[in-house]
Amino acid sequence: MLIIQSSLLLLLPIVSLMALMVLIWSLVKKRHPLFYKTCVFFVVSVILQIVFRQTEFWQVDRCLDNGGSYNYSSAKCEHTPT
């Protein structure tokens, strides 16, 4: 599961940028059916990026990167006072 999440987090921004380029191109060329399809694809890819960034693995990683310790029972990041 971790490999799938990592690969999606790597590929989704690339796919979103490509969809954004197609959106701009289809808007300039006035190809409205392609614009609407690409717009839906772009929105879905952005939503997926947001969803995958909120998984527990990435919350734990963010907590540990900031110097805290992750409490799994309460699902919270705890920082000890210095």
Side-chain angles (χ1 to χ4, degrees):
M1 185 66 173
L2 179 62
I3 294 172
I4 294 171
Q5 284 181 351
S6 298
S7 62
L8 282 175
L9 281 173
L10 177 67
L11 293 176
L12 279 174
I14 296 168
V15 170
S16 295
L17 286 174
M18 290 175 62
L20 187 60
M21 290 184 337
V22 172
L23 273 174
I24 294 169
W25 179 80
S26 63
L27 193 60
V28 169
K29 296 293 183 176
K30 297 181 182 175
R31 298 185 181 198
H32 296 292
L34 179 63
F35 176 77
Y36 297 129
K37 291 176 188 175
T38 310
C39 190
V40 169
F41 187 74
F42 178 71
V43 169
V44 168
S45 67
V46 169
I47 290 171
L48 284 175
Q49 286 183 49
I50 293 169
V51 167
F52 282 120
R53 293 239 185 245
Q54 299 304 319
T55 58
E56 184 183 36
F57 173 80
W58 296 108
Q59 289 176 355
V60 172
D61 184 55
R62 194 175 309 118
C63 177
L64 296 176
D65 286 345
N66 290 329
S69 62
Y70 192 79
N71 186 344
Y72 287 95
S73 60
S74 65
K76 291 185 180 180
C77 183
E78 298 173 347
H79 293 281
T80 56
T82 57

